[in-house]
Amino acid sequence: MTSISVQDFNLLRQNEALNILDIRDSQDFEMGHLLNAISLPATSLPNELNKLDKNATYYVISYSGRRSEIIANFLENHGYKAIHVIGGMRDIKQLAA
């Protein structure tokens, strides 16, 4: 599985349009998310895989990065390209502060 630091992820997303998969629950997503992020809660993901494109690369974000690592592995095991964002939204918010 591929991982990326929050710092490298932030630099990359400033220069490229990325497929950002936010796996937090919908309430957390509504309280704040990255521009153009796709909300697909981890609990719904197994039933919603058909919404994802196997030709796309997804940057998977959770709150702290723990669940995103698990989900990125899950996606890769099902034939998707997924990159785990280490530190998640918690660290992204700290960078912005």
Side-chain angles (χ1 to χ4, degrees), residues 29-44:
F29 184 83
E30 291 303 320
M31 288 176 47
H33 59 271
L34 298 174
L35 184 65
N36 298 322
I38 302 163
S39 176
L40 192 54
T43 55
S44 304

Side-chain angles (χ1 to χ4, degrees), residues 3-7 60 64-65 68 84-88 90-92:
S3 297
I4 188 170
S5 70
V6 168
Q7 294 82 359
V60 185
S64 68
S68 60
H84 161 237
V85 179
I86 301 168
R90 177 190 62 201
D91 290 357
I92 289 169

Side-chain angles (χ1 to χ4, degrees), residues 15-74:
N15 299 313
E16 294 181 40
L18 304 178
N19 295 306
I20 302 168
L21 188 62
D22 191 324
I23 62 162
R24 297 175 300 148
D25 65 41
S26 56
Q27 291 172 336
D28 288 336
F29 184 83
E30 291 303 320
M31 288 176 47
H33 59 271
L34 298 174
L35 184 65
N36 298 322
I38 302 163
S39 176
L40 192 54
T43 55
S44 304
L45 189 78
N47 298 325
E48 303 288 333
L49 279 177
N50 61 339
K51 291 184 176 181
L52 302 178
D53 179 357
K54 284 195 174 181
N55 296 313
T57 299
Y58 293 95
Y59 290 81
V60 185
I61 294 185
S62 61
Y63 173 71
S64 68
R66 289 185 192 141
R67 284 184 301 155
S68 60
E69 182 175 13
I70 294 166
I71 295 298
N73 273 324
F74 173 83

